[in-house]
Structures are given as C-alpha cells and as structure tokens.
Amino acid sequence: MELKEAMEAATAELDVRPGFVGDVMAGARRRHTRKLLSITAAVALIAGVMTGVVLTRSPSPEPFTAADARLTAATGGDLSGKTDLIAQSLAAWKQKTQVGGGVTEVSTDAHVFWMGNTPSGPAALVAQSVRVAHAKDPQTLVGLVHGNVVVGQEIVLKEGREEGIYRFGADESTYVVLSLGRQVFWSVNPVRGPDLRYSRVWWQAVLSDGVAVVGAKLEDKAVFVRADAAPADGDVTRVGERITPREETGRQKAMVPHPGLGWTDVMWASSRQEPAKPGQSQDKLVSEDVWRRGYVDYGTEWPLWEVRAWLPDGRFAVVTEANGELVGALYQPDGTFDRALTGSLAAKGTPVPVRLVLPDGQGTLLADRNTLLGPEEREHAWLAPPGTTQVAVMRNGDTTTVPL
Amino acid sequence: MQDFEDFVALRSQALLRTAYLLCGGDKGAAEDILQDVLMSMYGKWRRIRTSPEAYARTALANAAANRWRRRSRKPEAPLELGAVPASRGHEQQVVDADSVVRALAQLPRKMRAVLVLRFFDDLSEAETARTLGCGVGTVKSQTSRGLARMRELMGEQVLTWN
C-alpha cells in the first residue's frame, strides 16, 4: 500500500463534528469583534492619557450616544415630513429593541433617519445607540421598520462592515439598500449564452438621501453590490462588494431547503493522483474557477461539493452543482481550461443523481454520496467506462442496479 | 463574508484530516487547532482569500508544531499511542491504517509535516517548502529521512511511495 493511500485510509472516517461550521463562524465573529473593539479602546485610552483625561464608562442610566451621524441627522426620504408614520415606526422599533442578542444596554436616542415610500408601503430606517458585550464604546443598532414590523436589525461596529440591505413585503420583493457613501448596483435574471456562460446586466440604483428602493421578485434572482463604479460585465472578480439581505445568509439561509443535492465534500471518481488539481491551481477549488469563468451565475453561492476525476486521456474533469443543475468542466493537465459541460438537474433523492457524460469517449462521471458504486465499489463516485449502461449501487449494505 | 463561511463548510473536513495527521492522530487536538486557525482567518479574509487553503495549511503546520512544543515542555499529557505493532507475516500485505498514524506520531514534527504535506496534501516540494517556511533542500532531505524512518517504524508492512 502506498503511503498516501495509507494516510487516506487512516483519515477516511474523519469528519468535523456537527455544528463545527457554526462554532467556527460564531467564534470568529466574536474574536474579530473583540479585536476591533480592543484596538478602538486602546486608541481611545492612549488619546485619553495624552490629554490627561481619564476615560470612564458612563454609569447607567446616564445617556450615551454612539459616534454615528445618522443618530442626529435630519430625517431623509420622501415621507420625512410624516410625523405620524415616524412616531409609529419608532414605537414598533422600541417595542422590539431590548437587551439581548449581544445588546447589553439600550439608549433612548432611537432616531428615524429615513422614512420613505416603497412598493410595499412606507418603511423607516432607524438608528439607535446600544452597548454591546466586550465593547466600552457605544455602538449603533440600525434596522428597518415596515408598518409595525421590524424587518431587520444589525449592530454596526466601529470600523465594522455594515450590510445595509433589507428585503420585505408580502412577496419579499422590496429591497431598501443603504448606499453608505458608495453607489449601489443591482441585477436580475442572469442570462446563459450559447457559450454556456452566464451574464448579468447591471443597473445603477437611484439613490434618494443615500437610500435606494428597488423592487425585484424572488424568482428573478436579484443581486446587489455596493461599488464605486459600474461592475465590469462578465468579470465577476470586479463586480464590487456584494451585499445580501439577512434572509439569504447565515442561519436564515439554513432554514431554506437547498435547491440541489446540498453535499459538502470533495469526492474522487478516479483514483487520486498527484497533483490533486490540474496545473498550479492548488489553492483554489475547481468549482470556484468555474464560477469565476462565468459558467456558474455570479449570484449563485459557491458550490459546496465537487466530484473530480483524472481521465484516461490525461485531462481533468470536475462536476458540481449550481442552482440545482450539474455544471462540469474539463481541464488540460497543465491547468488550461478546456471546456464547460452541462448536465441534468441534480435531483436529491434520485439514485445516482450525478451523471455527466464526458466527451471524446472518456466515460461518465457518476456520484451518489454515501454509497459504493460500480464493480470496484468506489466510495461516493465512479468514472464509468464508455458504454456503461447500468451501475451497481450499494447503500447501507444493500445493492441495487441502476440503469443509466 | 459568505465566501469565508463557504470555505469553512467546504474545506473543514479535508483540513481536519491534514490536522489529524499533523497532530499525530490526536483528533481532539486536530479539531481544536483547526477551529482556532479558521477563526483566526476570519479577520484576515480579505487579505488571504486568494489562497486561503495555503494559508490554512501553513497555520495548521505552525499550530501543530507549537502544540508539540508545548507538549514537550509539559509532558504530563502523553500521546495516546499504542506501541508500533510487531512484525507481521508476509501474507498480511495491507498496512494497518492506525499504524501509519502511530508511525507518523513518532517522527519529529517537521519531518511529519513534510510527509503529510507532500504525500497526503499532494503539495510539490516547492509548495511544501513555502508552506513550512523552509528551503526546498530541507524538504528533500526531510522527505528522504522521513520515508526511511517510516519504513523502519512500519516493520514488515508493505509501504511504498511514488
């Protein structure tokens, strides 16, 4: 047995514990926040010492205010004169905003800095000073109120990133986006060309008092970016800072059924051999390369699985999924991109859901996670020889024959 | 930071396996250092996002080495290693996967890291050198010595490499 095979055998059963990704993300955010705040605190402390001022935290319940101009700015938006709507929004906001969820103390300075009409009715953007754990200085809580409902809130840390985009309405088709000093561009309905590449037309959102209101149906796959210049057409590396409503990220996203297979692994349909990827792209996922080349829509999340194979003619094949469809690619051994390949729908629950016929008689890439496939009983994936009409699938000890 | 979360979701398993070997088969330690490394990458993501895996490998190798340095200073927690299995008959030509880990655990940390990166992670000599912050010559010599040592430790079990 080769050393490599022995190492792979020794680690084959190894996987991270359930919840590991969530733990990493939560810990990383906590650590990053602490770092930012300690830097801020250190700078403030040094400044205080230099001027002979002793910094002390304001004892409660004395008022405190975060350093955010929106807390005292004149209300913007086309409904800025509607004091009744503003009062109604503030009441809803105050009812929602309580200590908890990282907030340790709430100030009384909640302020509507934008009140405007949207296709789904009036909405208000609110800012309020809050204290958060591990931070000496007050921070800003920003959110959107639609009717009597607080659609979303985010704590904006000093020097921290602000997402600043909210999605709401009966059909979740209204977006309110803060420009935060930049321009906002948006795009819907990606188009796949005859060369199999996706392209998007970008529109510059109209800003009013630093806020854009955009209507877009969920099925139109709207994507928003904050940028200083119009995104480069077809170059996803120069699009700008993508901003995403919380409904489409993190924990909320986990509640949405995955449109495709939802696997999270790299699987080999052929024997692994050195190098594990074509050319010098050792640090990049092949599926990421396919995404950068435009064969997966910019608005699609990066695929979380790949099936790889070195082919009999020396080329390298990879297949993954995007929007529930199989997307494949061929590379020359030196890493030169050969061509994109398309496959059928990656339907969860069907036997051997990944089936991608390769060109030039190189066989068919087959994959079904947690099974043993083919006469070699390969784990998860198998590169079936050309002409294969059926495949033996062993799952939980039971073998069935699946016609191809 | 969606791409960071995707990276964590997609690459954690593979990185855990590398960490496991770097830690000489201590799964708990492997998971700990991996979590620590990934968390430290979050704040640096914009800078390292072009080659996160290379960064992670380097950080894992360093973290594993530091762990071993700490262990060598505080040897109160001995490795849970069984003895290297006795020689087996020629009819048993399959390497016991655990014995590979046990043998790896007995190598010096740099030698072990070189073998793991070269033969498990498929890195070239140059990439391994870059990852470990040493010269290509060091990688070559550590590879050669490491493989010889592995043969000694593995006894009569068949172990080859390309």
Side-chain angles (χ1 to χ4, degrees), chain A residues 220-298:
Chain A
D220 291 341
K221 300 184 175 74
V223 172
F224 291 80
V225 296
R226 206 173 273 133
D228 296 320
D233 185 32
D235 183 355
V236 298
T237 62
R238 292 193 295 124
V239 168
E241 175 197 12
R242 183 166 175 191
I243 46 178
T244 314
R246 73 184 183 103
E247 291 82 359
E248 298 171 18
T249 61
R251 192 177 300 170
Q252 289 71 27
K253 185 184 64 178
M255 304 303 289
V256 179
H258 195 281
L261 298 172
W263 296 342
T264 55
D265 209 349
V266 173
M267 295 160 275
W268 280 88
S270 65
S271 294
R272 282 191 64 166
Q273 64 186 67
E274 193 170 352
K277 297 169 195 172
Q280 300 301 313
S281 57
Q282 294 288 329
D283 299 332
K284 291 188 175 63
L285 290 166
V286 186
S287 49
E288 181 190 338
D289 183 59
V290 175
W291 177 80
R292 287 188 192 283
R293 290 174 186 276
Y295 294 106
V296 174
D297 170 39
Y298 169 77

Side-chain angles (χ1 to χ4, degrees), chain A residues 27-265:
Chain A
R29 289 185 179 116
R30 274 198 304 273
R31 183 183 289 190
H32 189 55
T33 301
R34 277 201 301 271
K35 187 177 174 187
L36 289 175
L37 294 174
S38 57
I39 291 171
T40 305
V43 170
L45 185 62
I46 291 167
V49 169
M50 292 292 284
T51 54
V53 177
V54 177
L55 293 180
T56 54
R57 176 175 166 170
S58 303
S60 299
E62 285 187 16
F64 58 91
T65 303
D68 190 320
R70 291 174 291 190
L71 289 161
T72 53
T75 303
D78 57 349
L79 298 178
S80 59
K82 298 287 186 182
T83 53
D84 54 337
L85 284 176
I86 291 174
Q88 179 186 331
S89 300
L90 275 177
W93 177 269
K94 287 172 180 171
Q95 195 169 4
K96 160 87 175 177
T97 309
Q98 296 169 354
V99 171
V103 175
T104 58
E105 197 175 346
V106 179
S107 176
T108 56
D109 62 353
H111 174 62
V112 174
F113 64 90
W114 182 88
M115 182 90 224
N117 253 319
T118 76
S120 298
L125 285 164
V126 186
Q128 182 174 18
S129 302
V130 293
R131 288 197 188 279
V132 297
H134 309 298
K136 286 185 177 177
D137 296 326
Q139 311 295 321
T140 313
L141 184 69
V142 180
L144 183 134
V145 180
H146 174 231
N148 291 319
V149 176
V150 178
V151 171
Q153 289 181 321
E154 67 176 310
I155 298 169
V156 182
L157 300 171
K158 272 183 185 173
E159 302 175 34
R161 181 178 184 274
E162 181 172 352
E163 202 70 36
I165 180 170
Y166 303 90
R167 192 182 82 191
F168 59 97
D171 51 0
E172 297 281 310
S173 62
T174 298
Y175 295 80
V176 168
V177 190
L178 280 74
S179 69
L180 302 178
R182 304 179 78 185
Q183 297 171 41
V184 173
F185 296 87
W186 62 291
S187 169
V188 291
N189 294 321
V191 176
R192 196 173 205 181
D195 61 353
L196 301 181
R197 292 189 190 206
Y198 284 92
S199 62
R200 280 178 172 268
V201 175
W202 292 93
W203 305 89
Q204 183 169 1
V206 177
L207 296 173
S208 171
D209 294 326
V211 176
V213 177
V214 175
K217 294 176 185 170
L218 275 184
E219 57 267 31
D220 291 341
K221 300 184 175 74
V223 172
F224 291 80
V225 296
R226 206 173 273 133
D228 296 320
D233 185 32
D235 183 355
V236 298
T237 62
R238 292 193 295 124
V239 168
E241 175 197 12
R242 183 166 175 191
I243 46 178
T244 314
R246 73 184 183 103
E247 291 82 359
E248 298 171 18
T249 61
R251 192 177 300 170
Q252 289 71 27
K253 185 184 64 178
M255 304 303 289
V256 179
H258 195 281
L261 298 172
W263 296 342
T264 55
D265 209 349

Side-chain angles (χ1 to χ4, degrees), chain A residues 1-4 6-7 11-12 14-15 17 20 27-28 31-32 253 265-266 272 276 282-283 285 304, chain B residues 2 4 10-13 16-17 20 31 35-36 39 42-43 54 97 100-101 119-120 122 127 159-160 162:
Chain A
M1 179 180 270
E2 289 191 4
L3 177 56
K4 179 175 181 58
M7 289 179 178
T11 57
L14 214 55
D15 202 349
R17 64 175 187 274
F20 179 80
R31 183 183 289 190
H32 189 55
K253 185 184 64 178
D265 209 349
V266 173
R272 282 191 64 166
Q282 294 288 329
D283 299 332
L285 290 166
L304 294 179
Chain B
Q2 186 57 43
F4 173 75
L10 179 54
R11 300 308 298 155
S12 284
Q13 185 188 43
L16 176 67
R17 291 173 177 181
Y20 175 77
E31 211 163 63
Q35 185 166 346
D36 196 52
M39 289 196 305
Y42 180 82
V100 172
V101 178
F119 293 95
F120 183 69
D122 299 314
E127 288 165 335
L159 189 63
T160 60
N162 292 321

